[in-house]
Amino acid sequence: VVKTRNNLTMKKLLLLSAILIFACSSDSSDTNYNSNQTFLERFEGVVWQSEATEVDAFLIFDNDNYSAKWVINGDCLVWYFDVYNENIESGFNVIVNDYNQLVLDRFDADNNIISRSTTTSSSDENSLIETVIFYVDNTESTSTSYRTTLTDPCN
């Protein structure tokens, strides 16, 4: 009788443990929220359309290749972070890549920093606000890009 009671108690504990583990586990399919992700990880592959009306411009971040793509009027320009890119005659050093902000210093062929851009996402993650400070003339420019449902226009 004692052995049966111990078996029942053990089964109840195992069942209770299983229920608690199941109840406390989260379903990651409900949300993509992960505060440990960097800006580039969060927005990898998202196609953003510039608010600028004079050009048809899109921006896509690629965390896997540590790069970004600008598609301007159908032309795809790829630039890699932390290296000089011949195709755009400049480079972008990543200064901050945290959950909600990407800060880049743009440099020329002589490694002179020519501008700093700070990009943040809106609270609903449907827009990016970029502020660029140009060091040559100490001017500032702000632009907004909006999330689209498009796939990578470079492919």
Side-chain angles (χ1 to χ4, degrees):
V1 174
V2 171
K3 190 174 187 180
T4 306
R5 182 179 286 167
N6 284 344
N7 284 345
L8 281 173
T9 303
M10 189 61 114
K11 285 180 183 178
K12 286 180 184 177
L13 283 174
L14 286 174
L15 182 60
L16 181 61
S17 295
I19 290 170
L20 285 173
I21 289 170
F22 182 75
C24 293
S25 67
S26 64
D27 182 4
S28 61
S29 65
D30 288 345
T31 180
N32 289 330
Y33 179 78
N34 181 349
S35 62
N36 293 328
Q37 286 183 313
T38 66
F39 188 91
L40 292 174
E41 289 170 333
R42 283 178 62 211
F43 298 118
E44 174 163 10
V46 175
V47 178
W48 302 93
Q49 184 167 19
S50 172
E51 71 177 349
T53 56
E54 64 275 2
V55 293
D56 193 17
F58 300 93
L59 174 65
I60 306 105
F61 296 108
D62 184 348
N63 184 62
D64 289 340
N65 292 312
Y66 208 53
S67 64
K69 300 173 189 174
W70 261 112
V71 182
I72 301 173
N73 294 327
D75 293 328
C76 183
L77 300 171
V78 178
W79 34 274
Y80 296 90
F81 297 122
D82 297 338
V83 297
Y84 184 79
N85 295 268
E86 292 286 337
N87 62 332
I88 59 171
E89 298 178 352
S90 62
F92 293 90
N93 285 327
V94 175
I95 307 304
V96 176
N97 180 21
D98 64 20
Y99 183 76
N100 196 45
Q101 186 179 59
L102 180 66
V103 178
L104 305 172
D105 276 352
R106 186 172 188 171
F107 61 93
D108 63 17
D110 296 323
N111 285 324
N112 298 311
I113 305 299
I114 53 179
S115 66
R116 173 168 282 186
S117 67
T118 302
T119 304
T120 56
S121 69
S122 60
S123 59
D124 64 2
E125 298 185 353
N126 285 321
S127 62
L128 297 179
I129 296 90
E130 179 186 36
T131 302
V132 181
I133 299 170
F134 300 95
Y135 294 130
V136 175
D137 56 5
N138 203 29
T139 58
E140 187 175 296
S141 170
T142 300
S143 63
T144 304
S145 297
Y146 298 95
R147 182 187 287 261
T148 71
T149 57
L150 300 174
T151 57
D152 188 340
C154 292
N155 292 337

